[in-house]
Amino acid sequence: MNSAKAYAAQSPTSPLTPLTIPRRAPTESDVQIEILYCGICHSDVHSARNEWSAFMATSYPIVPGHEIVGRVTHVGSAVKGYRVGDLAAVGCLVDSDRTCTHCQAGNEQFCPNMVFTFNAPDSHLGGMTYGGYSQSIVVDQRFVLRVPQNLSLAGVAPLLCAGITTYSPLRHHKVGKGQRVGIVGLGGLGHMGVKFAHAFGAHVTVITTSARKKEDAHRLGADAVILSSQPDEMARHAGTFDFLLDTVSADHDINALLGLLKPDGHLTLVGAPAKPLEVASFSLLMGRRTLSGSIIGGLPETQEMLDFCGQHGITADVEVVPIQSVNEAYERLLRADVKYRFVIDLSTLR
Ligand code: NAP
Ligand code: ZN
């Protein structure tokens, strides 16, 4: 067994502080990665503070982080496709049963036995898995991804969660040319949703609570912006959208958003507020509208997304921070004060 420096929360109310964690000695099919950058996803905050206790309670200590890029430092004898010195990435999953129909179809995110990168039972060491706010990680080769060579590494890290979580539903619902698409919430997920929907050829509108983000929305690829706090603006756009992707992290009025959809329009939730949303039946009955959800993506689609980003020069807009600033970054994230993803430079932990 090896050990690694990390940052962990010890309780829902304590700040993240340094902790030394165990990492397994690599098996023959494992890839050992020195972590260079790790994004800060809002899910890290929900989990560190045990806000999802009703669905997946947090075990402490928790080391968050599932937007990981780094360099390979060791490969097991059975590893194919990765060599020491290669760039490599790890997202939200580090294992699954690999035998169920979902795994066989490359939809590991639906596997009943999937293992999240942090806060999931660790079958190798016992205890729970520890995420990317750390120096290194050891992952089976099936759950390691190739990083396009032409992209900035810090900007790649958020693709591993914010990227795939928005890419997957936009692809699944065949968003493209001729469609009016709304991205709700311009944060880490939302700004990637704008970039992808724009790249897929849709007419893209950002629906935001932050008037100050208007200019950025256009720069990121939006054709229009709606301020959701303005009832007259919302009313003017009622019944005009084919598809909405809701990335909002906190309680909000989903009925007001559903009212923006055309007949047969579709809203997919990827945001995961702790408090259940209240959906009025009539918001769906009127216009035969559909409401759905989506969670990350499988390994093949995550690789497809990374390759797409390499071909189209897409990365996240990031603010790189030292690990010592992680608690301040959490507070700013909660105030929607980040353009548009914090990424930890793990060299500051060494
Ligand atoms: P984020 O960077 O904090 O962005 C969330 C955005 O939501 C904010 O920037 C803000 O955008 C908007 N917002 C915040 N509070 C709001 C409120 N009270 N009312 C209306 N809008 C509000 O978070 P993120 O990392 O993108 O994550 C977003 C959510 O997705 C989180 O709940 C996270 O846990 C979840 N998530 C889900 C998956 C999945 O697989 N489904 C994966 C990753 C994350 P504006 O300033 O533009 O209004
Ligand atoms: Zn995430």
Side-chain angles (χ1 to χ4, degrees):
M1 196 171 70
N2 301 317
S3 64
K5 288 188 192 170
Y7 259 58
Q10 300 285 353
S11 82
T13 52
S14 56
L16 282 82
T17 51
L19 178 76
T20 298
I21 55 167
R23 290 294 192 195
R24 68 178 184 259
T27 68
E28 62 175 19
S29 63
D30 277 342
V31 178
Q32 184 182 51
I33 299 166
E34 176 196 20
I35 301 176
L36 300 175
Y37 294 101
C38 182
I40 298 181
C41 178
H42 208 117
S43 302
D44 299 352
V45 183
H46 291 306
S47 300
R49 300 187 176 186
N50 200 18
E51 291 170 358
W52 290 335
S53 57
F55 314 100
M56 42 174 113
T58 302
S59 284
Y60 293 92
I62 179 175
V63 176
H66 56 204
E67 296 184 334
I68 298 168
V69 293
R71 205 168 279 288
V72 174
T73 50
H74 179 94
V75 292
S77 57
V79 169
K80 293 193 171 59
Y82 296 96
R83 287 190 307 202
V84 171
D86 285 353
L87 293 173
V90 178
C92 302
L93 299 176
V94 289
D95 210 349
S96 66
D97 65 27
R98 310 178 199 190
T99 54
C100 72
T101 52
H102 307 301
C103 288
Q104 282 173 9
N107 288 318
E108 294 87 351
Q109 78 276 29
F110 304 147
C111 173
N113 299 304
M114 65 179 164
V115 179
F116 285 117
T117 303
F118 61 83
N119 195 42
D122 182 341
S123 60
H124 294 265
L125 294 180
M128 304 299 268
T129 55
Y130 292 126
Y133 298 3
S134 63
Q135 285 180 303
S136 63
I137 192 164
V138 179
V139 180
D140 185 276
Q141 59 180 335
R142 178 177 172 145
F143 292 83
V144 179
L145 295 138
R146 287 182 307 281
V147 176
Q149 297 288 333
N150 57 322
L151 302 177
S152 101
L153 272 192
V156 166
L159 302 178
L160 277 301
C161 176
I164 184 60
T165 300
T166 50
Y167 182 94
S168 182
L170 292 171
R171 280 297 198 214
H172 182 75
H173 293 284
K174 301 186 171 47
V175 160
K177 248 191 166 46
Q179 285 180 314
R180 299 186 81 86
V181 171
I183 306 292
V184 190
L186 194 62
L189 266 57
H191 94 291
M192 290 312 308
V194 172
K195 291 187 185 204
F196 286 133
H198 175 74
F200 299 164
H203 181 280
V204 184
T205 299
V206 165
I207 300 160
T208 178
T209 60
S210 305
R212 65 179 192 282
K213 294 182 183 172
K214 260 190 175 175
E215 230 173 80
D216 279 351
H218 288 291
R219 179 179 55 78
L220 293 165
D223 302 286
V225 179
I226 298 175
L227 267 183
S228 53
S229 54
Q230 301 295 321
D232 53 327
E233 262 189 63
M234 292 289 279
R236 246 197 336 273
H237 293 88
T240 62
F241 284 91
D242 297 288
F243 184 84
L244 293 173
L245 188 67
D246 183 343
T247 76
V248 174
S249 52
D251 192 27
H252 61 290
D253 182 2
I254 192 170
N255 299 298
L257 296 173
L258 289 166
L260 297 174
L261 291 172
K262 290 178 182 173
D264 285 325
H266 195 109
L267 185 151
T268 293
L269 282 173
V270 286
K275 184 166 172 268
L277 295 167
E278 265 189 38
V279 182
S281 311
F282 276 95
S283 301
L284 296 172
L285 308 187
M286 304 302 284
R288 198 168 55 193
R289 295 163 175 140
T290 314
L291 173 62
S292 69
S294 186
I295 184 154
I296 50 173
L299 271 292
E301 194 177 35
T302 306
Q303 189 64 61
E304 175 193 308
M305 178 273 309
L306 286 168
D307 296 345
F308 180 89
C309 288
Q311 283 150 20
H312 295 263
I314 294 175
T315 51
D317 286 28
V318 300
E319 180 176 338
V320 177
V321 293
I323 187 87
Q324 294 77 11
S325 299
V326 66
N327 296 300
E328 187 192 331
Y330 274 25
E331 292 310 319
R332 285 183 52 200
L333 186 64
L334 289 168
R335 297 196 299 268
D337 173 25
V338 51
K339 293 182 167 187
Y340 277 88
R341 193 59 135 189
F342 287 115
V343 171
I344 302 167
D345 174 355
L346 269 314
S347 71
T348 59
L349 184 59
R350 282 187 269 281

